[in-house]
Amino acid sequence: MASATTKEVEREIPAIIRLYKDGSVERLVGSPYQPPSLDEDPQSKDITISQNPTISARLFLPKSTKNSPILPEQCTKFPILVYFHGGGFCIESAFSFLGHRYIQSLALEAQVLAVSIEYRLAPEHPLPAAYEDSWEALQWVASHSVKNGGEPWIEDYGDFDRFFIGGDSSGANIVHNIALRAGSEKLGGKVRISGAYLGHPYFLGSNPVGKEKSEDHDKSLSRLTWDFVYPSAPFGVDNPMINPASPTATTSLNGLGCSRVLVYVAGKDELRERGVWYLDLVRESGWKGEVEELFEVEEEDHCFHVFNLLNPNSQIMIKRLASFLNK
């Protein structure tokens, strides 16, 4: 018999996160908080974008070029990367160890000014909160293309002619939805998105695609996650936010508001087929932008480059992203 003090679970993703009936939330996984540092290269700091709703970001500014160390005030401008972290919309953070270490490494290798967005998480803030926060954050960064006394790192060192968005897993899903929105709603300062990269993108649908197994399709971890973070989603897993081929979508993929797209997948990832499928959808849509060749690391699993940065394949991944951001 359960103890009288045992809290009742409202819903959960087993071994990952629980929402209790009293409204409290217990996260069972996730990397610890990592403070920013002005002493490292790239240097980093945290800023507030909005207090209502609460949106913030961690900025990464390289201190050196690949040829010689120099101070930021002596630098030419850096490409801008607005990054959205993964974690199924419910765990991890722009301020966590894994997220910090990954973007720090990418910013240094690619020599970009990176803005890693801290959006609100479910279940405290169910979707579409993360999408709205991410769009507002992107608009905030873009507004710095016109100097108005905003964040000096972005105003002084950001090159708005090289403006990128990127993300991994659920962050890649955010990138897709933001790129679509940018195709119909303009960014501040007439900024245009030069390119978007989607790493191991989190997409779903009621019907299997590619080599996905049809049995227990509705019991996968990806499906449990979507039901947890967006329980009221219209059309469930065929909501256009999670299914780019949804018959209910009002915006076509040919309206993506960026110039180039890169998708990368991992051979052992259960989301691998969705990433390949998404790239095919973009190609078939009639979109006028440049679709990079699919980048796949067959022997790795979901977001391996974030979890194990010292893996040689992770370094290959970082260099591929750097090439995309510097093309």
Side-chain angles (χ1 to χ4, degrees):
M1 183 174 180
S3 168
T5 60
T6 301
K7 295 197 295 186
E8 292 187 76
V9 175
E10 177 75 26
R11 61 181 191 274
E12 67 176 334
I13 306 174
I16 295 177
I17 188 170
R18 296 189 188 112
L19 171 65
Y20 293 98
K21 289 189 176 181
D22 65 3
S24 60
V25 175
E26 182 181 15
R27 289 178 168 85
L28 306 175
V29 295
S31 60
Y33 169 78
Q34 174 74 27
S37 174
L38 295 176
D39 297 325
E40 297 178 337
D41 187 10
Q43 55 191 324
S44 56
K45 68 177 179 180
D46 297 339
I47 53 93
T48 298
I49 294 174
S50 168
Q51 293 184 341
N52 186 23
T54 303
I55 311 170
S56 52
R58 177 159 292 179
L59 275 58
F60 296 83
L61 178 64
K63 287 183 177 180
S64 63
T65 66
K66 292 179 181 178
N67 297 321
S68 62
I70 56 177
L71 296 174
E73 56 266 22
Q74 298 171 291
C75 289
T76 56
K77 301 222 172 193
F78 295 101
I80 298 169
L81 168 64
V82 182
Y83 177 78
F84 305 94
H85 70 82
F89 299 104
C90 61
I91 59 172
E92 284 300 328
S93 165
F95 308 139
S96 69
F97 170 74
L98 288 177
H100 175 94
R101 183 182 63 170
Y102 164 52
I103 296 302
Q104 181 184 51
S105 177
L106 178 58
L108 184 61
E109 176 67 31
Q111 290 292 288
V112 298
L113 191 166
V115 186
S116 184
I117 305 302
E118 180 75 347
Y119 50 84
R120 290 172 296 166
L121 298 179
E124 296 93 333
H125 306 281
L127 292 180
Y131 296 125
E132 294 303 322
D133 290 357
S134 298
W135 177 254
E136 183 170 339
L138 186 69
Q139 286 282 23
W140 179 86
V141 178
S143 72
H144 287 75
S145 62
V146 179
K147 287 196 174 185
N148 57 6
E151 166 51 48
W153 280 14
I154 301 175
E155 284 192 346
D156 296 342
Y157 307 121
D159 182 353
F160 286 89
D161 290 329
R162 295 180 292 169
F163 189 81
F164 296 85
I165 58 176
D168 292 282
S169 193
S170 55
N173 175 284
I174 290 174
V175 167
H176 157 71
N177 282 288
I178 276 184
L180 270 185
R181 189 166 177 177
S184 57
E185 299 181 37
K186 303 305 180 185
L187 294 176
K190 298 182 179 179
V191 172
R192 295 179 180 273
I193 300 174
S194 305
Y197 76 77
L198 296 83
H200 308 164
Y202 176 38
F203 295 121
L204 292 172
S206 56
N207 298 316
V209 299
K211 299 176 182 178
E212 286 183 343
K213 297 179 180 179
S214 57
E215 62 271 18
D216 295 328
H217 181 65
D218 60 347
K219 295 182 178 62
S220 68
L221 176 59
S222 300
R223 174 63 180 270
L224 290 174
T225 300
W226 181 249
D227 291 342
F228 182 85
V229 300
Y230 201 177
S232 63
F235 309 106
V237 290
D238 287 322
N239 183 285
M241 295 288 192
I242 195 69
N243 182 357
S246 170
T248 65
T250 59
T251 305
S252 170
L253 285 173
N254 64 15
L256 286 170
C258 57
S259 300
R260 295 162 50 223
V261 165
L262 169 68
V263 175
Y264 51 93
V265 298
K268 296 181 180 179
D269 183 6
E270 76 167 31
L271 292 174
R272 186 260 179 197
E273 298 300 310
R274 293 283 162 176
V276 176
W277 169 72
Y278 176 76
L279 199 60
D280 289 341
L281 290 176
V282 174
R283 288 194 179 104
E284 295 164 2
S285 71
W287 181 59
K288 302 301 182 183
E290 179 183 346
V291 182
E292 301 269 329
E293 182 178 353
L294 178 76
F295 186 82
E296 178 172 10
V297 183
E298 294 183 357
E299 62 269 30
E300 300 293 351
D301 210 331
H302 189 69
C303 289
F304 69 92
H305 57 297
V306 177
F307 292 112
N308 186 2
L309 196 60
L310 297 180
N311 181 338
N313 283 330
S314 299
Q315 295 305 306
I316 293 172
M317 183 76 257
I318 294 289
K319 291 182 183 301
R320 178 64 184 91
L321 290 176
S323 175
F324 177 76
L325 297 170
N326 283 281
K327 184 175 178 180

